[in-house]
Amino acid sequence: MANFDIEISEVGPRDGLQSIKAIMPTEAKKAWIKAEFEAGVPEIEVGSFVSPKLLPQLADTAEIVAYARTLPGLQIAALVPNLRGLEAAVKAGVHKVGIPFSQSETHSIKNVKKTHPEMLAEIQRCVEFLQTVPAEQRPRFEVGLSTAFGCTIEGNVDEDVVVSNAEKVLEIGADEVGLSDTTGFANPVQLKRITQRIWDSCGKDKLMGVHLHNTRGQGLANVLAAVEMGITTVDASLGGIGGCPWAPGASGNIVTEDLVWMLEAMGLKTGIDIDKLLAVRELVKEALPDEPMYGFIPDAGVPKGFVPASAV
Amino acid sequence: MANFDIEISEVGPRDGLQSIKAIMPTEAKKAWIKAEFEAGVPEIEVGSFVSPKLLPQLADTAEIVAYARTLPGLQIAALVPNLRGLEAAVKAGVHKVGIPFSQSETHSIKNVKKTHPEMLAEIQRCVEFLQTVPAEQRPRFEVGLSTAFGCTIEGNVDEDVVVSNAEKVLEIGADEVGLSDTTGFANPVQLKRITQRIWDSCGKDKLMGVHLHNTRGQGLANVLAAVEMGITTVDASLGGIGGCPWAPGASGNIVTEDLVWMLEAMGLKTGIDIDKLLAVRELVKEALPDEPMYGFIPDAGVPKGFVPASAV
């Protein structure tokens, strides 16, 4: 049985590092991942299988995956933009693969040079490839419905399009979809409405995770809305490092430290030791001395008398 | 009929200014209040009737109230620590008076040199005085249950004490109680639990407002929990200025700009024009050039395509 109520997926080594110019040394990445694993973080998105020309920061992802596989019980996630990346991810031995599918077609074309039909065809090829992979090596395949809450280029994104694309990729054979607020446009009412529509249409077990940003300070309020509904996996980034480099003006992941405190204070177990988690910041700061790190709990500390749910 | 679903009470001119060293010139305060009034802010806590020796920043509160009374329809609130302050507030012509009653007795003694029984006696004297004031000059009298979610000195605060004190002050004759997270300890589950307990015990109409801090980044998540339950008045401070100078380590009001955006995006009318509100920052910055101002919306802007509920 899982020792958490809410599964925190640490995306800093992927979403954080891809958004900054500095390239973190491979050994520092390993130390970061090990320290978070030892703090109890159950899932880490360790990198992205993209061209090293596009993202030299993540060129060592295969090596990082190999290292992460030595940490027993850690769920290793990675991002892929296409079939080629998926093949590399499977070869490396990733447990969970996410492919972003931007619901703003303009953003999709700008980001990965693919229209919606072209993305659906790519996802189809991914599913067909996964069917050839032996079950014990086959990663869970999630389609991330990115820019689902709005796009910095298009503005509002049609919710009917989001729901319809969720239906299509699940019909094609993706294991699940995730909702991504790439641009930090989401509000709690919108998040609940879209989640409910996808659940009604596709089944609750097909949407269990959200990737929310804090660009407009609404990150934790949106998480609250999500977990109140029954969402069980939430992405966050240590120190709030990162964002999306291709959505102009969008930045700011949810801070893992603040998220863990909120959930633990609410009585929801994350399985994470917050003191150990806070200590991980030092490692990251040392490796990325010029990157700003965010978070309220790191400054204010946990409240006097605080007893985390995971400690009870 | 009120032109809002949620009443924002701007507390910057009181909670903000009392927490900083700089003394804002009286004319700048008037300009700030006028600009927020013109942006549609329905209630402003314009100052505190305390000894000018203790808080020289607020020594001009009576003059500020007189000015605010020229702004038609603005609800003018002020804080008072005791009967003497209340008498001055009534004389000045305030519409709503709040008296903080710290639920941590240690904090109460440290802050206003009064035990709980002594505070109850003071509140009793306040109610008796108000009974002698003609109805048309009598302000609404709210007891703010401060440190209701925990105290930086005591740690956890007994919820039974909070509920019992709510009952007692309402029995004495206060018009309503408010919940104040003076220290930024609150989490959404705790907020809902305490609110429900007071509603069950005292009636829903006796607790309609919350004063939450963002010390641990949970301000908007806590607001979401509150408004989802049916709380209708929420305090916030422009630029997040302020906090509580007597609770060590506690700081950080909710940023009015971010709060207004969240509510308007959720479809809840505040009656506030967010562009006009954002413009008020310039006035405050000019008058307080050395004070940091916070907020995500001021940096990120409202999302492309955003239509505020109040504009519909």
Side-chain angles (χ1 to χ4, degrees), chain A residues 153 156 187 192 214 216-218 221 224 228 262 265 296 300-301 304-305, chain B residues 153 156 187 192 214 216-218 221 224 228 261-262 265 296 300-301 304-305:
Chain A
I153 310 161
N156 293 324
N187 72 72
K192 286 190 176 183
N214 198 36
R216 287 175 180 79
Q218 317 287 323
L224 177 65
E228 276 183 344
M262 180 175 86
F296 287 84
K304 185 170 181 180
Chain B
I153 310 160
N156 294 321
N187 72 72
K192 287 189 175 182
N214 198 36
R216 288 177 179 77
Q218 319 286 321
L224 176 65
E228 277 183 343
W261 183 71
M262 180 176 87
F296 286 84
K304 185 170 181 180

PDB file of all heavy atoms in Angstrom, chain A residues 153 156 187 192 214 216-218 221 224 228 262 265 296 300-301 304-305, chain B residues 153 156 187 192 214 216-218 221 224 228 261-262 265 296 300-301 304-305:
ATOM      1  N   ILE A 153      -0.685  32.967 -26.126  1.00  0.00           N
ATOM      2  CA  ILE A 153      -0.804  33.447 -27.510  1.00  0.00           C
ATOM      3  C   ILE A 153      -2.282  33.538 -27.917  1.00  0.00           C
ATOM      4  O   ILE A 153      -2.752  34.569 -28.367  1.00  0.00           O
ATOM      5  CB  ILE A 153      -0.041  32.512 -28.487  1.00  0.00           C
ATOM      6  CG1 ILE A 153       1.385  32.254 -27.973  1.00  0.00           C
ATOM      7  CG2 ILE A 153      -0.021  33.106 -29.892  1.00  0.00           C
ATOM      8  CD1 ILE A 153       2.040  31.020 -28.577  1.00  0.00           C
ATOM      9  N   ASN A 156      -8.098  32.497 -24.366  1.00  0.00           N
ATOM     10  CA  ASN A 156      -8.945  31.393 -23.927  1.00  0.00           C
ATOM     11  C   ASN A 156      -8.805  30.182 -24.840  1.00  0.00           C
ATOM     12  O   ASN A 156      -8.685  30.324 -26.055  1.00  0.00           O
ATOM     13  CB  ASN A 156     -10.406  31.833 -23.891  1.00  0.00           C
ATOM     14  CG  ASN A 156     -10.639  32.885 -22.819  1.00  0.00           C
ATOM     15  OD1 ASN A 156     -10.033  32.842 -21.753  1.00  0.00           O
ATOM     16  ND2 ASN A 156     -11.497  33.846 -23.113  1.00  0.00           N
ATOM     17  N   ASN A 187      -8.001  28.943 -12.720  1.00  0.00           N
ATOM     18  CA  ASN A 187      -8.609  29.300 -11.435  1.00  0.00           C
ATOM     19  C   ASN A 187      -9.366  28.080 -10.928  1.00  0.00           C
ATOM     20  O   ASN A 187      -9.675  27.157 -11.700  1.00  0.00           O
ATOM     21  CB  ASN A 187      -9.503  30.542 -11.566  1.00  0.00           C
ATOM     22  CG  ASN A 187     -10.782  30.267 -12.316  1.00  0.00           C
ATOM     23  OD1 ASN A 187     -11.683  29.597 -11.809  1.00  0.00           O
ATOM     24  ND2 ASN A 187     -10.867  30.747 -13.549  1.00  0.00           N
ATOM     25  N   LYS A 192     -12.069  22.795 -11.567  1.00  0.00           N
ATOM     26  CA  LYS A 192     -13.078  21.799 -11.170  1.00  0.00           C
ATOM     27  C   LYS A 192     -14.003  21.465 -12.348  1.00  0.00           C
ATOM     28  O   LYS A 192     -14.385  20.321 -12.534  1.00  0.00           O
ATOM     29  CB  LYS A 192     -13.902  22.332  -9.993  1.00  0.00           C
ATOM     30  CG  LYS A 192     -13.135  22.326  -8.678  1.00  0.00           C
ATOM     31  CD  LYS A 192     -14.055  22.640  -7.498  1.00  0.00           C
ATOM     32  CE  LYS A 192     -13.294  22.523  -6.183  1.00  0.00           C
ATOM     33  NZ  LYS A 192     -14.134  22.732  -5.010  1.00  0.00           N
ATOM     34  N   ASN A 214       2.299  28.570 -10.696  1.00  0.00           N
ATOM     35  CA  ASN A 214       1.972  29.592  -9.710  1.00  0.00           C
ATOM     36  C   ASN A 214       2.183  31.008 -10.267  1.00  0.00           C
ATOM     37  O   ASN A 214       2.327  31.961  -9.512  1.00  0.00           O
ATOM     38  CB  ASN A 214       2.832  29.393  -8.450  1.00  0.00           C
ATOM     39  CG  ASN A 214       2.260  30.114  -7.253  1.00  0.00           C
ATOM     40  OD1 ASN A 214       1.049  30.188  -7.098  1.00  0.00           O
ATOM     41  ND2 ASN A 214       3.116  30.677  -6.424  1.00  0.00           N
ATOM     42  N   ARG A 216       0.352  33.267 -11.374  1.00  0.00           N
ATOM     43  CA  ARG A 216      -0.532  34.306 -10.849  1.00  0.00           C
ATOM     44  C   ARG A 216      -0.891  34.080  -9.371  1.00  0.00           C
ATOM     45  O   ARG A 216      -1.911  34.552  -8.880  1.00  0.00           O
ATOM     46  CB  ARG A 216      -1.785  34.428 -11.733  1.00  0.00           C
ATOM     47  CG  ARG A 216      -1.422  35.099 -13.050  1.00  0.00           C
ATOM     48  CD  ARG A 216      -2.505  35.196 -14.070  1.00  0.00           C
ATOM     49  NE  ARG A 216      -1.944  35.869 -15.251  1.00  0.00           N
ATOM     50  CZ  ARG A 216      -1.172  35.281 -16.163  1.00  0.00           C
ATOM     51  NH1 ARG A 216      -0.882  34.001 -16.043  1.00  0.00           N
ATOM     52  NH2 ARG A 216      -0.670  35.974 -17.166  1.00  0.00           N
ATOM     53  N   GLY A 217      -0.031  33.317  -8.695  1.00  0.00           N
ATOM     54  CA  GLY A 217      -0.186  33.142  -7.255  1.00  0.00           C
ATOM     55  C   GLY A 217      -1.310  32.198  -6.859  1.00  0.00           C
ATOM     56  O   GLY A 217      -1.650  32.099  -5.688  1.00  0.00           O
ATOM     57  N   GLN A 218      -1.884  31.502  -7.851  1.00  0.00           N
ATOM     58  CA  GLN A 218      -3.071  30.683  -7.587  1.00  0.00           C
ATOM     59  C   GLN A 218      -2.725  29.196  -7.465  1.00  0.00           C
ATOM     60  O   GLN A 218      -3.629  28.355  -7.376  1.00  0.00           O
ATOM     61  CB  GLN A 218      -4.101  30.847  -8.726  1.00  0.00           C
ATOM     62  CG  GLN A 218      -4.285  32.282  -9.212  1.00  0.00           C
ATOM     63  CD  GLN A 218      -5.042  33.158  -8.242  1.00  0.00           C
ATOM     64  OE1 GLN A 218      -5.975  32.687  -7.600  1.00  0.00           O
ATOM     65  NE2 GLN A 218      -4.651  34.419  -8.110  1.00  0.00           N
ATOM     66  N   ALA A 221      -4.115  27.328  -4.327  1.00  0.00           N
ATOM     67  CA  ALA A 221      -5.582  27.358  -4.342  1.00  0.00           C
ATOM     68  C   ALA A 221      -6.100  26.359  -5.381  1.00  0.00           C
ATOM     69  O   ALA A 221      -7.070  25.622  -5.136  1.00  0.00           O
ATOM     70  CB  ALA A 221      -6.087  28.769  -4.644  1.00  0.00           C
ATOM     71  N   LEU A 224      -5.696  22.910  -4.025  1.00  0.00           N
ATOM     72  CA  LEU A 224      -6.760  22.634  -3.056  1.00  0.00           C
ATOM     73  C   LEU A 224      -8.034  22.202  -3.772  1.00  0.00           C
ATOM     74  O   LEU A 224      -8.654  21.192  -3.410  1.00  0.00           O
ATOM     75  CB  LEU A 224      -7.028  23.876  -2.194  1.00  0.00           C
ATOM     76  CG  LEU A 224      -8.173  23.745  -1.196  1.00  0.00           C
ATOM     77  CD1 LEU A 224      -7.868  22.691  -0.138  1.00  0.00           C
ATOM     78  CD2 LEU A 224      -8.490  25.082  -0.533  1.00  0.00           C
ATOM     79  N   GLU A 228      -9.496  18.416  -3.306  1.00  0.00           N
ATOM     80  CA  GLU A 228     -10.852  18.325  -2.751  1.00  0.00           C
ATOM     81  C   GLU A 228     -11.756  17.487  -3.646  1.00  0.00           C
ATOM     82  O   GLU A 228     -12.677  16.829  -3.171  1.00  0.00           O
ATOM     83  CB  GLU A 228     -11.449  19.730  -2.585  1.00  0.00           C
ATOM     84  CG  GLU A 228     -11.046  20.428  -1.304  1.00  0.00           C
ATOM     85  CD  GLU A 228     -11.713  21.789  -1.117  1.00  0.00           C
ATOM     86  OE1 GLU A 228     -12.250  22.349  -2.100  1.00  0.00           O
ATOM     87  OE2 GLU A 228     -11.676  22.298   0.009  1.00  0.00           O
ATOM     88  N   MET A 262       1.225  22.406   3.022  1.00  0.00           N
ATOM     89  CA  MET A 262      -0.235  22.575   2.976  1.00  0.00           C
ATOM     90  C   MET A 262      -0.942  21.230   3.131  1.00  0.00           C
ATOM     91  O   MET A 262      -1.844  21.084   3.965  1.00  0.00           O
ATOM     92  CB  MET A 262      -0.690  23.250   1.675  1.00  0.00           C
ATOM     93  CG  MET A 262      -2.212  23.429   1.627  1.00  0.00           C
ATOM     94  SD  MET A 262      -2.821  24.355   0.171  1.00  0.00           S
ATOM     95  CE  MET A 262      -2.966  23.010  -1.016  1.00  0.00           C
ATOM     96  N   ALA A 265      -0.461  19.656   6.606  1.00  0.00           N
ATOM     97  CA  ALA A 265      -1.234  20.392   7.613  1.00  0.00           C
ATOM     98  C   ALA A 265      -2.716  20.066   7.492  1.00  0.00           C
ATOM     99  O   ALA A 265      -3.446  20.035   8.482  1.00  0.00           O
ATOM    100  CB  ALA A 265      -0.996  21.901   7.458  1.00  0.00           C
ATOM    101  N   PHE A 296       7.601  29.986   0.575  1.00  0.00           N
ATOM    102  CA  PHE A 296       7.285  30.676   1.827  1.00  0.00           C
ATOM    103  C   PHE A 296       7.747  29.863   3.037  1.00  0.00           C
ATOM    104  O   PHE A 296       8.282  30.408   3.990  1.00  0.00           O
ATOM    105  CB  PHE A 296       5.775  30.931   1.927  1.00  0.00           C
ATOM    106  CG  PHE A 296       5.284  32.021   1.008  1.00  0.00           C
ATOM    107  CD1 PHE A 296       4.976  31.770  -0.310  1.00  0.00           C
ATOM    108  CD2 PHE A 296       5.140  33.320   1.485  1.00  0.00           C
ATOM    109  CE1 PHE A 296       4.531  32.779  -1.153  1.00  0.00           C
ATOM    110  CE2 PHE A 296       4.694  34.336   0.652  1.00  0.00           C
ATOM    111  CZ  PHE A 296       4.380  34.065  -0.672  1.00  0.00           C
ATOM    112  N   ALA A 300       9.582  31.179   6.269  1.00  0.00           N
ATOM    113  CA  ALA A 300       8.805  31.312   7.504  1.00  0.00           C
ATOM    114  C   ALA A 300       8.993  30.124   8.444  1.00  0.00           C
ATOM    115  O   ALA A 300       8.775  30.236   9.652  1.00  0.00           O
ATOM    116  CB  ALA A 300       7.318  31.483   7.183  1.00  0.00           C
ATOM    117  N   GLY A 301       9.398  28.991   7.893  1.00  0.00           N
ATOM    118  CA  GLY A 301       9.503  27.777   8.702  1.00  0.00           C
ATOM    119  C   GLY A 301       8.138  27.149   8.918  1.00  0.00           C
ATOM    120  O   GLY A 301       7.105  27.787   8.692  1.00  0.00           O
ATOM    121  N   LYS A 304       5.150  26.620  14.754  1.00  0.00           N
ATOM    122  CA  LYS A 304       5.428  26.009  16.054  1.00  0.00           C
ATOM    123  C   LYS A 304       4.296  25.032  16.408  1.00  0.00           C
ATOM    124  O   LYS A 304       3.118  25.372  16.277  1.00  0.00           O
ATOM    125  CB  LYS A 304       5.516  27.113  17.108  1.00  0.00           C
ATOM    126  CG  LYS A 304       5.926  26.602  18.464  1.00  0.00           C
ATOM    127  CD  LYS A 304       6.244  27.719  19.435  1.00  0.00           C
ATOM    128  CE  LYS A 304       6.669  27.112  20.770  1.00  0.00           C
ATOM    129  NZ  LYS A 304       6.999  28.141  21.745  1.00  0.00           N
ATOM    130  N   GLY A 305       4.669  23.852  16.833  1.00  0.00           N
ATOM    131  CA  GLY A 305       3.661  22.863  17.224  1.00  0.00           C
ATOM    132  C   GLY A 305       3.129  22.022  16.081  1.00  0.00           C
ATOM    133  O   GLY A 305       2.269  21.176  16.276  1.00  0.00           O
TER     134      GLY A 305
ATOM    135  N   ILE B 153       4.145  32.136  19.676  1.00  0.00           N
ATOM    136  CA  ILE B 153       4.705  31.936  21.010  1.00  0.00           C
ATOM    137  C   ILE B 153       4.186  30.621  21.605  1.00  0.00           C
ATOM    138  O   ILE B 153       4.952  29.763  22.019  1.00  0.00           O
ATOM    139  CB  ILE B 153       4.348  33.108  21.957  1.00  0.00           C
ATOM    140  CG1 ILE B 153       4.682  34.450  21.290  1.00  0.00           C
ATOM    141  CG2 ILE B 153       5.080  32.974  23.293  1.00  0.00           C
ATOM    142  CD1 ILE B 153       3.968  35.649  21.895  1.00  0.00           C
ATOM    143  N   ASN B 156       0.183  25.656  18.979  1.00  0.00           N
ATOM    144  CA  ASN B 156      -1.233  25.377  18.750  1.00  0.00           C
ATOM    145  C   ASN B 156      -2.119  26.135  19.737  1.00  0.00           C
ATOM    146  O   ASN B 156      -1.772  26.286  20.904  1.00  0.00           O
ATOM    147  CB  ASN B 156      -1.507  23.878  18.874  1.00  0.00           C
ATOM    148  CG  ASN B 156      -0.820  23.091  17.777  1.00  0.00           C
ATOM    149  OD1 ASN B 156      -0.767  23.539  16.632  1.00  0.00           O
ATOM    150  ND2 ASN B 156      -0.271  21.939  18.123  1.00  0.00           N
ATOM    151  N   ASN B 187      -4.512  26.393   7.766  1.00  0.00           N
ATOM    152  CA  ASN B 187      -4.648  25.584   6.559  1.00  0.00           C
ATOM    153  C   ASN B 187      -6.136  25.429   6.259  1.00  0.00           C
ATOM    154  O   ASN B 187      -6.973  25.637   7.139  1.00  0.00           O
ATOM    155  CB  ASN B 187      -3.922  24.245   6.708  1.00  0.00           C
ATOM    156  CG  ASN B 187      -4.638  23.299   7.649  1.00  0.00           C
ATOM    157  OD1 ASN B 187      -5.691  22.756   7.336  1.00  0.00           O
ATOM    158  ND2 ASN B 187      -4.067  23.115   8.848  1.00  0.00           N
ATOM    159  N   LYS B 192     -11.926  25.517   7.706  1.00  0.00           N
ATOM    160  CA  LYS B 192     -13.308  25.038   7.538  1.00  0.00           C
ATOM    161  C   LYS B 192     -13.847  24.470   8.843  1.00  0.00           C
ATOM    162  O   LYS B 192     -15.009  24.665   9.178  1.00  0.00           O
ATOM    163  CB  LYS B 192     -13.363  23.974   6.427  1.00  0.00           C
ATOM    164  CG  LYS B 192     -13.209  24.534   5.033  1.00  0.00           C
ATOM    165  CD  LYS B 192     -13.494  23.474   3.968  1.00  0.00           C
ATOM    166  CE  LYS B 192     -13.446  24.104   2.575  1.00  0.00           C
ATOM    167  NZ  LYS B 192     -13.749  23.140   1.506  1.00  0.00           N
ATOM    168  N   ASN B 214      -0.553  35.521   4.407  1.00  0.00           N
ATOM    169  CA  ASN B 214       0.075  34.676   3.392  1.00  0.00           C
ATOM    170  C   ASN B 214       1.488  34.271   3.796  1.00  0.00           C
ATOM    171  O   ASN B 214       2.309  33.911   2.950  1.00  0.00           O
ATOM    172  CB  ASN B 214       0.110  35.431   2.051  1.00  0.00           C
ATOM    173  CG  ASN B 214       0.334  34.496   0.890  1.00  0.00           C
ATOM    174  OD1 ASN B 214      -0.163  33.366   0.909  1.00  0.00           O
ATOM    175  ND2 ASN B 214       1.086  34.921  -0.103  1.00  0.00           N
ATOM    176  N   ARG B 216       2.840  31.707   4.950  1.00  0.00           N
ATOM    177  CA  ARG B 216       3.302  30.408   4.469  1.00  0.00           C
ATOM    178  C   ARG B 216       2.739  30.086   3.078  1.00  0.00           C
ATOM    179  O   ARG B 216       2.645  28.926   2.684  1.00  0.00           O
ATOM    180  CB  ARG B 216       2.984  29.316   5.494  1.00  0.00           C
ATOM    181  CG  ARG B 216       3.898  29.447   6.710  1.00  0.00           C
ATOM    182  CD  ARG B 216       3.663  28.502   7.833  1.00  0.00           C
ATOM    183  NE  ARG B 216       4.668  28.785   8.862  1.00  0.00           N
ATOM    184  CZ  ARG B 216       4.612  29.825   9.713  1.00  0.00           C
ATOM    185  NH1 ARG B 216       3.581  30.650   9.679  1.00  0.00           N
ATOM    186  NH2 ARG B 216       5.582  30.018  10.580  1.00  0.00           N
ATOM    187  N   GLY B 217       2.355  31.122   2.368  1.00  0.00           N
ATOM    188  CA  GLY B 217       1.933  30.934   0.974  1.00  0.00           C
ATOM    189  C   GLY B 217       0.544  30.354   0.802  1.00  0.00           C
ATOM    190  O   GLY B 217       0.146  29.980  -0.294  1.00  0.00           O
ATOM    191  N   GLN B 218      -0.196  30.240   1.924  1.00  0.00           N
ATOM    192  CA  GLN B 218      -1.485  29.540   1.884  1.00  0.00           C
ATOM    193  C   GLN B 218      -2.662  30.514   1.843  1.00  0.00           C
ATOM    194  O   GLN B 218      -3.817  30.098   1.950  1.00  0.00           O
ATOM    195  CB  GLN B 218      -1.640  28.634   3.122  1.00  0.00           C
ATOM    196  CG  GLN B 218      -0.392  27.869   3.521  1.00  0.00           C
ATOM    197  CD  GLN B 218      -0.072  26.719   2.602  1.00  0.00           C
ATOM    198  OE1 GLN B 218      -0.985  26.040   2.153  1.00  0.00           O
ATOM    199  NE2 GLN B 218       1.191  26.507   2.314  1.00  0.00           N
ATOM    200  N   ALA B 221      -5.356  29.875  -0.906  1.00  0.00           N
ATOM    201  CA  ALA B 221      -5.984  28.557  -0.692  1.00  0.00           C
ATOM    202  C   ALA B 221      -6.952  28.649   0.486  1.00  0.00           C
ATOM    203  O   ALA B 221      -8.069  28.113   0.437  1.00  0.00           O
ATOM    204  CB  ALA B 221      -4.914  27.496  -0.440  1.00  0.00           C
ATOM    205  N   LEU B 224     -10.022  30.472  -0.615  1.00  0.00           N
ATOM    206  CA  LEU B 224     -10.871  29.578  -1.408  1.00  0.00           C
ATOM    207  C   LEU B 224     -11.725  28.710  -0.491  1.00  0.00           C
ATOM    208  O   LEU B 224     -12.949  28.582  -0.680  1.00  0.00           O
ATOM    209  CB  LEU B 224     -10.004  28.702  -2.324  1.00  0.00           C
ATOM    210  CG  LEU B 224     -10.760  27.657  -3.140  1.00  0.00           C
ATOM    211  CD1 LEU B 224     -11.709  28.310  -4.142  1.00  0.00           C
ATOM    212  CD2 LEU B 224      -9.788  26.726  -3.870  1.00  0.00           C
ATOM    213  N   GLU B 228     -15.781  29.100  -0.429  1.00  0.00           N
ATOM    214  CA  GLU B 228     -16.531  27.889  -0.787  1.00  0.00           C
ATOM    215  C   GLU B 228     -17.557  27.549   0.289  1.00  0.00           C
ATOM    216  O   GLU B 228     -18.622  27.008   0.007  1.00  0.00           O
ATOM    217  CB  GLU B 228     -15.587  26.700  -0.992  1.00  0.00           C
ATOM    218  CG  GLU B 228     -14.957  26.653  -2.371  1.00  0.00           C
ATOM    219  CD  GLU B 228     -14.074  25.425  -2.584  1.00  0.00           C
ATOM    220  OE1 GLU B 228     -13.679  24.774  -1.588  1.00  0.00           O
ATOM    221  OE2 GLU B 228     -13.765  25.124  -3.736  1.00  0.00           O
ATOM    222  N   TRP B 261      -8.247  39.085  -8.510  1.00  0.00           N
ATOM    223  CA  TRP B 261      -8.199  38.318  -9.757  1.00  0.00           C
ATOM    224  C   TRP B 261      -8.758  36.909  -9.547  1.00  0.00           C
ATOM    225  O   TRP B 261      -9.563  36.436 -10.354  1.00  0.00           O
ATOM    226  CB  TRP B 261      -6.788  38.226 -10.364  1.00  0.00           C
ATOM    227  CG  TRP B 261      -6.902  37.487 -11.660  1.00  0.00           C
ATOM    228  CD1 TRP B 261      -7.474  37.965 -12.807  1.00  0.00           C
ATOM    229  CD2 TRP B 261      -6.592  36.118 -11.915  1.00  0.00           C
ATOM    230  NE1 TRP B 261      -7.514  36.978 -13.757  1.00  0.00           N
ATOM    231  CE2 TRP B 261      -6.980  35.840 -13.245  1.00  0.00           C
ATOM    232  CE3 TRP B 261      -6.022  35.097 -11.150  1.00  0.00           C
ATOM    233  CZ2 TRP B 261      -6.810  34.579 -13.826  1.00  0.00           C
ATOM    234  CZ3 TRP B 261      -5.853  33.844 -11.733  1.00  0.00           C
ATOM    235  CH2 TRP B 261      -6.245  33.598 -13.058  1.00  0.00           C
ATOM    236  N   MET B 262      -8.353  36.247  -8.474  1.00  0.00           N
ATOM    237  CA  MET B 262      -8.843  34.882  -8.250  1.00  0.00           C
ATOM    238  C   MET B 262     -10.363  34.855  -8.198  1.00  0.00           C
ATOM    239  O   MET B 262     -11.008  34.052  -8.878  1.00  0.00           O
ATOM    240  CB  MET B 262      -8.267  34.276  -6.965  1.00  0.00           C
ATOM    241  CG  MET B 262      -8.760  32.845  -6.719  1.00  0.00           C
ATOM    242  SD  MET B 262      -8.032  32.028  -5.261  1.00  0.00           S
ATOM    243  CE  MET B 262      -9.141  32.580  -3.980  1.00  0.00           C
ATOM    244  N   ALA B 265     -12.025  35.713 -11.550  1.00  0.00           N
ATOM    245  CA  ALA B 265     -11.847  34.612 -12.502  1.00  0.00           C
ATOM    246  C   ALA B 265     -12.774  33.449 -12.157  1.00  0.00           C
ATOM    247  O   ALA B 265     -13.274  32.748 -13.034  1.00  0.00           O
ATOM    248  CB  ALA B 265     -10.386  34.142 -12.502  1.00  0.00           C
ATOM    249  N   PHE B 296       1.520  38.642  -7.562  1.00  0.00           N
ATOM    250  CA  PHE B 296       1.828  37.938  -8.810  1.00  0.00           C
ATOM    251  C   PHE B 296       1.149  38.615 -10.001  1.00  0.00           C
ATOM    252  O   PHE B 296       1.750  38.754 -11.059  1.00  0.00           O
ATOM    253  CB  PHE B 296       1.371  36.474  -8.719  1.00  0.00           C
ATOM    254  CG  PHE B 296       2.243  35.626  -7.844  1.00  0.00           C
ATOM    255  CD1 PHE B 296       2.064  35.582  -6.468  1.00  0.00           C
ATOM    256  CD2 PHE B 296       3.258  34.852  -8.392  1.00  0.00           C
ATOM    257  CE1 PHE B 296       2.870  34.795  -5.662  1.00  0.00           C
ATOM    258  CE2 PHE B 296       4.078  34.061  -7.597  1.00  0.00           C
ATOM    259  CZ  PHE B 296       3.882  34.026  -6.224  1.00  0.00           C
ATOM    260  N   ALA B 300       2.692  39.378 -13.549  1.00  0.00           N
ATOM    261  CA  ALA B 300       2.300  38.526 -14.685  1.00  0.00           C
ATOM    262  C   ALA B 300       1.207  39.165 -15.529  1.00  0.00           C
ATOM    263  O   ALA B 300       1.045  38.820 -16.700  1.00  0.00           O
ATOM    264  CB  ALA B 300       1.834  37.160 -14.167  1.00  0.00           C
ATOM    265  N   GLY B 301       0.448  40.073 -14.938  1.00  0.00           N
ATOM    266  CA  GLY B 301      -0.690  40.654 -15.652  1.00  0.00           C
ATOM    267  C   GLY B 301      -1.877  39.707 -15.639  1.00  0.00           C
ATOM    268  O   GLY B 301      -1.738  38.525 -15.322  1.00  0.00           O
ATOM    269  N   LYS B 304      -4.470  36.809 -20.939  1.00  0.00           N
ATOM    270  CA  LYS B 304      -5.061  37.224 -22.215  1.00  0.00           C
ATOM    271  C   LYS B 304      -6.482  36.645 -22.328  1.00  0.00           C
ATOM    272  O   LYS B 304      -6.689  35.457 -22.072  1.00  0.00           O
ATOM    273  CB  LYS B 304      -4.191  36.700 -23.361  1.00  0.00           C
ATOM    274  CG  LYS B 304      -4.657  37.170 -24.719  1.00  0.00           C
ATOM    275  CD  LYS B 304      -3.649  36.837 -25.809  1.00  0.00           C
ATOM    276  CE  LYS B 304      -4.180  37.376 -27.147  1.00  0.00           C
ATOM    277  NZ  LYS B 304      -3.262  37.090 -28.244  1.00  0.00           N
ATOM    278  N   GLY B 305      -7.430  37.479 -22.694  1.00  0.00           N
ATOM    279  CA  GLY B 305      -8.804  37.004 -22.871  1.00  0.00           C
ATOM    280  C   GLY B 305      -9.627  37.022 -21.597  1.00  0.00           C
ATOM    281  O   GLY B 305     -10.793  36.630 -21.601  1.00  0.00           O
TER     282      GLY B 305
END
